[in-house]
Amino acid sequence: MQMQMRKLVAKESGTVLVAVALFLLLLLAFVALGSEAGRWYLVRAELSKSVDAGALVGAKNISNPYVDPRALAGEFCQENFKSGSLGTPGSGTGSVGFDVQISNDDQIRVDGNVNAVAILSRMMGFDQIPVAASGIAQMRRVEIMLVLDRSGSMSGQPMADLKVAAKSFLDYFVDTQTRDRIGLVSFATSVQLERPIGINYVTPMKSAIDAMNATGHTNPEDALDRADGPGGFADQSALAPENRIQQFLVFFSDGRPNTFRGTFRSDNTTYDATACVDGNCDPGDPTPTNPSLHRTDIEQSIAVPSTPTGDGVFPASACGTGMVTTKWQIFNTRPVPGYAPDACDIPDPDLGSHICNLAATMAIEHAQELKDKGIIFYSIGLGTRINSNFLEALASSPAQVFMAPTSDELQAIFQRVAQDIKLRLVQ
């Protein structure tokens, strides 16, 4: 009996040892798998980051005329996930590889593949585990209005450099001009809608830019108003935010506003015209009022005097029988400080200073109207006398303000703005 009991205990002990050994082996396998799973997860996470980053940078440059977006995306991926990273093979089978494709709708897709090398899991028969990740980015549609200063101070090299810079901006949108929409407004004393916002714009808009001549005063307020008028930005107020395309305005000037558009009554006739000062509106400088009103469509004065101010009634003017005066209608809501809206013969510098203030204030107000509609506003200024405060008031943020002390810096700035717009369009 005792012998039988000893045999039974010995048998049970052997069974327990086998069970414990199997349990330890299974536990070790789970530990190995857990360790490798963490490694594989880390490899996939880093691979995913690299393909996402590559897709974004590729989409940002999908129509950049100076780079190959596929090559750039692949290089960016390789830089973010180098061969041999995280213990993956440094070369040969299983080393990291990226495939970049661009579809017809400007969607860029990057597929990354690499093998994670097993360590503890080799006892389970696993040497390497394939890991894959994909990143996709796409360019959204866009509307852009260029608003460019062609006033007299731009003559010579500044205008030549502006033309090169503005045309290089367009080069960034060559490949998307069948879908993206761009327009051009130029301004001096008058304002020209050189090209309504639309598609297939690169060649005709470059021709319009080349044809610009520097002459006249500086009238940004009317230019910004025209940007939102016929031929300008599409009205998206009825669209849900997610269905709207992104709209941008790129404004350039080398001077302070000294002209505005308004209505004026002279000799009992009302005119749509521009008024200006013969000065730069720089602090402390003389600001004499130009004696004539000017046309709004071309650089030409009209046979209507801007002064003396008054009621615009002839011959029985309140300023004197038989005296021709001009009433500035804007003075009904924004009179010259210290004078009635139809005051007779408001003198300079009071009148000229008020023109300077109106020209700047109205431009800022038009810019705000655009920004209130969701349009992102960039300001570019040229020269050391440009009013930086004015440019900052126009722009959507300080990050959208660029200053060029000399005109040879304009091309780099316009290209930087184009790149920034491209980046904002990537989703």
Side-chain angles (χ1 to χ4, degrees), residues 231-400:
F233 289 110
D235 182 5
Q236 301 190 97
S237 58
L239 299 178
E242 63 271 14
N243 295 328
R244 296 178 183 178
I245 62 176
Q246 184 61 70
Q247 297 170 314
F248 298 87
L249 188 144
V250 180
F251 173 86
F252 164 81
S253 182
D254 76 327
R256 297 172 184 261
N258 62 6
T259 306
F260 74 93
R261 182 177 182 175
T263 54
F264 306 82
R265 185 175 68 196
S266 183
D267 194 6
N268 302 313
T269 302
T270 299
Y271 299 89
D272 177 15
T274 60
C276 55
V277 298
D278 291 327
N280 296 322
C281 291
D282 291 323
D285 285 357
T287 53
T289 303
N290 187 281
S292 298
L293 298 177
H294 292 254
R295 290 180 59 168
T296 62
D297 56 342
I298 61 174
E299 295 300 304
Q300 181 178 316
S301 61
I302 59 179
V304 178
S306 62
T307 59
T309 60
D311 55 16
V313 177
F314 182 82
S317 172
C319 297
T321 302
M323 183 176 184
V324 177
T325 64
T326 298
K327 178 176 175 58
W328 298 44
Q329 306 285 14
I330 195 170
F331 292 166
N332 289 335
T333 55
R334 305 183 189 202
V336 180
Y339 296 90
D342 54 357
C344 301
D345 199 13
I346 301 174
D348 285 324
D350 294 341
L351 181 58
S353 295
H354 195 57
I355 296 172
C356 292
N357 291 333
L358 284 174
T361 299
M362 293 171 67
I364 292 170
E365 289 174 351
H366 291 321
Q368 189 60 53
E369 292 166 0
L370 295 168
K371 291 183 287 187
D372 289 343
K373 294 181 179 181
I375 296 168
I376 297 176
F377 200 117
Y378 289 84
S379 294
I380 302 173
L382 170 63
T384 57
R385 300 184 69 182
I386 192 74
N387 187 346
S388 59
N389 291 333
F390 172 69
L391 295 179
E392 291 171 1
L394 295 179
S396 293
S397 76
Q400 273 88 47

Side-chain angles (χ1 to χ4, degrees), residues 126-141:
F126 300 103
D127 291 326
Q128 294 184 355
I129 302 297
V131 178
S134 297
I136 298 175
Q138 187 171 20
M139 297 293 294
R140 291 185 292 170
R141 292 174 56 204

